[in-house]
Amino acid sequence: MNWFSTYRVHHRVAGKFRKGRVFILGDAGHIHSPVGGQGMNTGIGDAVNLAWKLAAVLHGRANEAVLDSYETERRAFARQLVNTTDKAFHAIIGQNLTGRLVRTVLIPHVAPFLLGFSTVKKAAFNTVSQIRIHYRDSALSVGKAGKLQGGDRLPWVSGDGIDNFAPLISADWQIHIYGEATEEMRETAGKHNLALYEFKWNPACGKAGFLRNTLYLVRPDGHIGLADSRQDIPKLSNYLSSFGIGQK
Ligand SMILES: Cc1cc2nc3c(=O)[nH]c(=O)nc-3n(C[C@H](O)[C@H](O)[C@H](O)COP(=O)(O)OP(=O)(O)OC[C@H]3O[C@@H](n4cnc5c(N)ncnc54)[C@H](O)[C@@H]3O)c2cc1C
């Protein structure tokens, strides 16, 4: 060893992420060991989550109730992350037999073997890249349609002339229908100043988890706010008015 330094590893989550007009995010809200390389990514995730909510409220595109969901959504994830990195860290540094087996057998031999299986590789990728994050317990998450429900990250569908992530560049609320929207849905979207995207149905949409002709109201961060298989207008209107979405 040519060089080393010591530092203290904390595993802590702030009791609150918001008090009145003050919000905290990043390492100020959650710190943990660098195992897994998640700290910066989580802070950026906090920033994205808070930024679109503040922007929506300031621009009159949502009411202040939306801001309350920041702490619910991000603190829950921070607690889960700190808990898992704490466990992983202690498993790796442990001086007992388990710790030694993790360092000498699991990491160098078993992990590369398991990662040869595509399902394991996919699960690991989804976890480390944080695209598995969902906000199902948030007040902003309503409805369920097939495998997808309010709070889930919008699945990506591309090919056959579809790229459903392209409209997310607007970072604004939008309605996605995979199949065909009803005339009433088109009118409601226009009335609320919401972009409506109708994607031509193809088998890839079903494979990604979408149901045909179903309403998905998508948040500015690409998570589903409301899912409804019947394109129910009163349900949509009620959701929009609860959070003051799309008023301007
Ligand atoms: C060894 C190590 C490896 C890591 N590897 C990874 C990795 O691979 N992937 C990953 O995602 N994350 C990694 N992280 C975590 C990542 O570095 C942090 O999560 C991230 O830098 C936190 O960013 P932040 O902006 O929230 O906080 P900070 O980077 O701590 O920024 C806070 C800033 O505020 C300033 N400040 C503090 N008090 C005041 C004050 N009173 N007035 C004005 N300024 C103030 C500080 O000087 C600092 O510049 C690693 C961390 C360590 C220690």
Side-chain angles (χ1 to χ4, degrees):
M1 186 182 294
N2 296 315
W3 174 85
F4 76 93
S5 67
T6 57
Y7 67 97
R8 185 172 168 194
V9 174
H10 298 263
H11 286 102
R12 290 192 282 149
V13 179
K16 293 211 133 303
F17 279 17
R18 178 188 185 185
K19 192 165 182 191
R21 290 166 65 85
V22 179
F23 296 84
I24 55 170
L25 56 92
D27 276 21
H30 42 79
I31 41 168
H32 51 82
S33 111
V35 170
Q38 299 291 294
M40 178 195 67
N41 292 306
T42 307
I44 292 171
D46 296 341
V48 170
N49 191 293
L50 181 58
W52 77 255
K53 289 171 185 171
L54 285 174
V57 172
L58 291 170
H59 293 143
R61 297 276 288 163
N63 62 33
E64 285 188 29
V66 166
L67 297 177
D68 290 332
S69 67
Y70 166 68
E71 180 177 297
T72 323
E73 294 179 359
R74 297 306 300 178
R75 193 167 174 275
F77 177 65
R79 288 187 58 179
Q80 183 191 326
L81 179 71
V82 170
N83 193 16
T84 46
T85 49
D86 189 24
K87 284 196 181 116
F89 179 70
H90 283 104
I92 288 169
I93 62 154
Q95 295 303 311
N96 54 13
L97 180 66
T98 313
R100 284 206 296 277
L101 287 175
V102 168
R103 285 192 297 277
T104 57
V105 181
L106 185 71
I107 294 174
H109 304 295
V110 181
F113 171 74
L114 290 176
L115 286 169
F117 295 97
S118 62
T119 42
V120 176
K121 197 191 279 184
K122 197 172 171 205
F125 176 82
N126 287 348
T127 304
V128 176
S129 66
Q130 301 195 353
I131 60 176
R132 268 179 55 178
I133 291 181
H134 65 76
Y135 303 128
R136 288 182 178 179
D137 294 333
S138 169
L140 286 183
S141 306
V142 178
K144 187 172 191 295
K147 281 195 288 183
L148 294 172
Q149 64 184 78
D152 289 350
R153 185 174 185 269
L154 190 76
W156 183 35
V157 183
S158 89
D160 282 341
I162 294 185
D163 178 2
N164 70 333
F165 272 22
L168 300 181
I169 192 90
S170 69
D172 201 357
W173 290 90
Q174 51 197 268
I175 292 171
H176 284 202
I177 309 264
Y178 298 80
E180 219 172 300
T182 59
E183 201 46 54
E184 226 185 338
M185 180 58 66
R186 291 187 192 124
E187 277 166 26
T188 308
K191 200 172 96 193
H192 289 277
N193 202 6
L194 287 171
L196 168 65
Y197 296 94
E198 292 175 62
F199 300 95
K200 197 163 173 265
W201 179 263
N202 73 34
C205 303
K207 212 170 154 214
F210 292 109
L211 291 186
R212 200 171 190 157
N213 301 337
T214 288
L215 157 71
Y216 300 96
L217 176 66
V218 183
R219 313 176 352 167
D221 60 359
H223 282 259
I224 296 165
L226 169 71
D228 186 72
S229 57
R230 289 183 300 123
Q231 296 192 34
D232 189 316
I233 302 297
K235 210 182 249 180
L236 173 64
S237 303
N238 187 33
Y239 183 98
L240 296 173
S241 64
S242 304
F243 300 107
I245 294 160
Q247 287 173 342
K248 230 172 187 180

